[in-house]
């Protein structure tokens, strides 16, 4: 994701009410929107700071209010209820992660999820970018690794590095489009998003495109790149395959595949209520950012489609007139539920929210009744170089309207009515109470220490 390095900083540690003076708010809404939204009671409260690039936040389910924050640079930090970081990392994987660059970087510690029975079995799972394994294709970049760990002791204050059990490794041809997000579903299975392997347009006929077949990884069913995977981590060696995975028998596709046709899915979450939808945001190429509701066996179109339109890798800025509407199996593509124009390659289009969609959550907390049932997400920044992330909220159609498209607008904050904050928004997080957090960074880098964690709170 992280397009380029930026020299700008993030918020200083001051009360939320004083933050407004530090921001330049450029409207994404009509001129009177600021006045309309000026009464918002949603504020940002600084929880913790000093991270390199906070990428994932999960809540320890023991009633303590403690949080685990995975930093893309390779550590997992334990945060107390009052925001104090433990003196030592909960887990330090920096020695196992491929050497990271000082500027833009999509490798590192990418995913973290606690087992549904974490309180009793102490198991959790991490995805990280390891050095290229010896049996990988030559000249590829690295290997994406899914591992199981256990905590040391009963207070969940530290992990046992020696408990690592490697479940699955995926060789990556390039440094970008890794994704690596993981989450457990209500069925108890582990879901893992994997990007298409990098390169422009998922194309294999250019020097940068090593590891990209003619049809692209997104549509190819004998690779795990460009997919949503679904694993049973409680059975099998090193894992099992759920019986209703679409290719569980391995005859027409790899058995781990749950859905496919994705480019660079940067966010994954299950709705805690409603129909418990699995929601994945997918970063587009040059035209569209999209939100998808993932279904078993669904083909989301990349690289034959982007957004609601066809995609031509030879002319990525224009939709082809004879675009495919079905995959190689003859089944129709699954459309996104919401798209918006990306600003990459578009200058300052007023109908865009930014350059890279950042995944979020359907809000099921208690602090903001007006948000319940709505999907809160973000765009990483309005600019490729300057931190100008935007918080957004999408209205999800009621149950029974399965094919209805969502609508979205900037999330009005008390001090920032257009939802725009002077920060790159790396990710959103959710605690056990269903309350939401903003994982922000003042630089497009995983090596500085301008990363901070904020909580959405009533004001």
């Amino acid at each position: 994701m992280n397009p380029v390095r930026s020299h700008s900083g993030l918020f200083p540690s001051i009360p939320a009410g004083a933050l407004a003076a530090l921001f330049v708010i450029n409207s994404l809404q009509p001129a009177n929107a600021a006045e309309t939204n000026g009464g918002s009671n949603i504020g940002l409260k600084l929880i913790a700071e000093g991270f390199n690039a906070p990428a994932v936040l999960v809540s320890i389910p023991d009633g303590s209010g403690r949080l685990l924050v995975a930093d893309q640079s390779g550590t997992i930090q334990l945060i107390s209820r009052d925001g104090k970081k433990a003196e030592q990392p909960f887990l330090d994987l920096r020695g196992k992660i491929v050497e990271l660059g000082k500027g833009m970087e999509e490798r590192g510690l990418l995913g973290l999820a606690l087992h549904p029975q974490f309180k009793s079995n102490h198991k959790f799972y991490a995805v990280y970018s390891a050095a290229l394994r010896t049996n990988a294709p030559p000249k590829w970049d690295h290997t994406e690794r899914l591992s199981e760990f256990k905590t040391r002791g009963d207070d969940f204050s530290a992990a046992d590095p020696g408990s690592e059990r490697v479940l699955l490794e995926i060789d990556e041809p390039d440094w970008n489009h890794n994704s690596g997000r993981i989450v457990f579903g209500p069925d108890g299975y582990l879901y893992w998003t994997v990007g298409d392997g990098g390169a422009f347009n998922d194309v294999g006929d250019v020097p940068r495109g090593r590891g990209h077949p003619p049809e692209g990884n997104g549509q190819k069913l004998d690779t795990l790149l460009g997919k949503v995977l679904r694993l049973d981590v409680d059975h099998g060696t090193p894992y099992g395959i759920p019986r209703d995975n679409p290719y569980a028998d391995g005859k027409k596709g790899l058995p781990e595949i749950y859905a496919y046709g994705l480019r660079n899915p940067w966010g994954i979450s299950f709705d805690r209520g409603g129909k418990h939808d699995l929601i994945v945001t997918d970063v587009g190429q040059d035209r569209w950012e999209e939100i998808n509701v993932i279904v078993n066996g669904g083909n989301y179109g990349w690289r034959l489609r982007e957004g609601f339109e066809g995609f031509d890798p030879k002319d990525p800025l224009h939709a082809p007139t004879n675009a495919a509407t079905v995959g190689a199996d003859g089944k129709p593509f699954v459309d996104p539920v919401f798209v918006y124009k990306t600003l990459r390659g578009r200058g300052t289009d007023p109908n865009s929210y930014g350059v890279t969609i950042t995944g979020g959550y359907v809000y099921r907390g208690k602090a903001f009744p007006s948000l319940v049932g709505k999907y809160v997400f973000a765009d990483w920044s309005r600019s490729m170089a300057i931190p100008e992330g935007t918080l957004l909220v999408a209205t999800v159609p009621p149950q029974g309207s399965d094919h209805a498209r969502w609508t979205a607008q900037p999330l009005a904050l008390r001090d920032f009515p257009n939802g725009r904050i002077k920060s790159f928004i790396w990710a959103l997080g959710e605690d056990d109470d269903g309350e939401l957090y903003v994982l922000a960074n003042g630089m497009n880098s995983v090596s500085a220490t301008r990363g901070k964690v904020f909580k959405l709170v009533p004001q």
Side-chain angles (χ1 to χ4, degrees):
M1 181 174 134
N2 321 338
V4 280
R5 178 192 296 270
S6 168
H7 62 275
S8 300
L10 191 57
F11 323 134
S13 302
I14 59 177
L19 287 170
L22 299 177
F23 294 87
V24 176
I25 301 175
N26 299 312
S27 179
L28 286 173
Q29 297 179 319
N32 62 352
E35 295 177 7
T36 304
N37 297 327
S40 173
N41 71 329
I42 305 173
L44 287 175
K45 177 183 178 182
L46 178 65
I47 299 297
E49 56 188 326
F51 298 96
N52 299 123
V56 186
L57 179 148
V58 298
S59 185
I60 294 181
D62 64 352
S64 66
R66 293 178 297 171
L67 304 169
L68 292 175
V69 178
D71 201 313
Q72 191 178 332
S73 61
T75 63
I76 301 175
Q77 304 288 343
L78 179 66
I79 310 298
S80 67
R81 186 189 295 271
D82 60 5
K84 183 179 180 180
K85 271 196 288 189
E87 293 185 3
Q88 298 297 324
F90 176 83
L91 179 64
D92 189 343
L93 293 172
R94 287 174 293 186
K96 296 189 173 187
I97 288 177
V98 67
E99 184 178 355
L100 302 178
K102 299 298 183 181
M104 61 180 297
E105 184 61 84
E106 294 188 27
R107 300 168 299 178
L109 177 53
L110 305 174
L112 173 64
L114 306 186
H115 192 283
Q117 280 77 53
F118 174 78
K119 287 179 66 175
S120 58
N121 65 22
H122 298 195
K123 294 180 180 179
F124 67 96
Y125 300 81
V127 172
Y128 62 92
S129 306
L132 191 66
R133 55 182 175 172
T134 56
N135 60 341
K139 297 184 179 180
W140 282 30
D141 188 81
H142 69 280
T143 296
E144 189 165 310
R145 177 180 294 164
L146 169 68
S147 288
E148 175 188 276
F149 295 87
K150 292 183 178 180
T151 60
R152 179 186 294 152
D154 296 328
D155 65 351
F156 310 125
S157 62
D160 177 7
S163 67
E164 182 175 13
R165 182 172 73 95
V166 177
L167 273 67
L168 179 58
E169 294 182 310
I170 302 172
D171 298 320
E172 295 277 0
D174 219 323
W175 66 276
N176 59 341
H177 298 190
N178 304 306
S179 185
R181 303 306 207 191
I182 52 176
V183 66
F184 279 94
D187 53 13
Y189 297 134
L190 182 69
Y191 293 74
W192 176 9
T193 55
V194 184
D196 68 7
F200 297 111
N201 306 325
D202 195 7
V203 171
D205 59 355
V206 294
R208 260 188 101 238
R210 60 186 182 272
H212 294 259
E215 68 270 45
N217 285 319
Q219 293 298 309
K220 196 169 175 60
L221 294 176
D222 63 357
T223 176
L224 298 180
L225 299 174
K227 310 296 189 296
V228 177
L229 312 182
R230 185 188 191 217
L231 310 176
D232 181 352
V233 298
D234 293 319
H235 303 92
T237 304
Y239 55 84
I241 299 296
R243 292 182 179 180
D244 63 339
N245 273 14
Y247 309 105
D249 59 8
K251 293 180 180 179
K252 295 183 178 181
L254 295 179
E256 293 88 353
I257 295 173
Y258 182 75
Y260 63 107
L262 297 167
R263 180 180 178 273
N264 190 16
W266 194 248
I268 181 172
S269 64
F270 277 93
D271 183 359
R272 294 185 175 198
K275 296 178 291 183
H276 303 292
D277 285 333
L278 173 58
I279 303 170
V280 169
T281 56
D282 198 13
V283 177
Q285 181 67 48
D286 293 309
R287 303 186 70 233
W288 300 104
E289 307 294 311
E290 61 186 62
I291 301 175
N292 297 285
V293 174
I294 302 298
V295 296
N296 191 336
N299 180 356
Y300 292 82
W302 177 254
R303 66 169 205 201
L304 294 172
R305 289 181 70 78
E306 184 184 21
F308 297 121
E309 300 179 343
F311 179 82
D312 180 359
K314 296 180 180 179
D315 188 12
L317 289 178
H318 301 93
T321 57
N322 58 342
T325 58
V326 299
D329 58 3
K331 296 180 181 178
F333 298 127
V334 182
D335 278 339
V337 293
F338 179 73
V339 304
Y340 63 88
K341 296 177 181 179
T342 179
L343 283 178
R344 279 174 285 119
R346 288 178 173 269
T348 56
D349 193 311
N351 296 316
S352 175
Y353 298 116
V355 296
T356 300
I357 193 168
T358 300
Y361 298 85
V362 175
Y363 181 73
R364 299 293 178 184
K366 297 180 179 179
F368 307 106
S370 64
L371 291 182
V372 172
K374 296 183 178 181
Y375 182 69
V376 179
F377 65 108
D379 189 280
W380 185 78
S381 180
R382 286 277 296 173
S383 167
M384 299 285 276
I386 301 172
E388 265 194 312
T390 301
L391 288 167
L392 300 137
V393 57
T395 299
V396 182
Q399 294 187 36
S401 51
D402 291 338
H403 301 292
R405 295 178 182 177
W406 298 7
T407 58
Q409 63 184 22
L411 176 64
L413 304 178
R414 179 168 180 175
D415 294 308
F416 321 113
N418 294 295
R420 195 179 309 166
I421 60 178
K422 197 177 180 67
S423 168
F424 297 110
I425 301 179
W426 234 252
L428 269 64
E430 181 186 44
D431 66 21
D432 267 3
D433 295 324
E435 302 303 336
L436 301 183
Y437 297 75
V438 178
L439 281 58
N441 196 352
M443 292 187 67
N444 179 17
S445 166
V446 299
S447 58
T449 55
R450 296 187 183 180
K452 300 189 179 185
V453 174
F454 293 84
K455 185 178 183 179
L456 295 181
V457 297
Q459 285 189 343

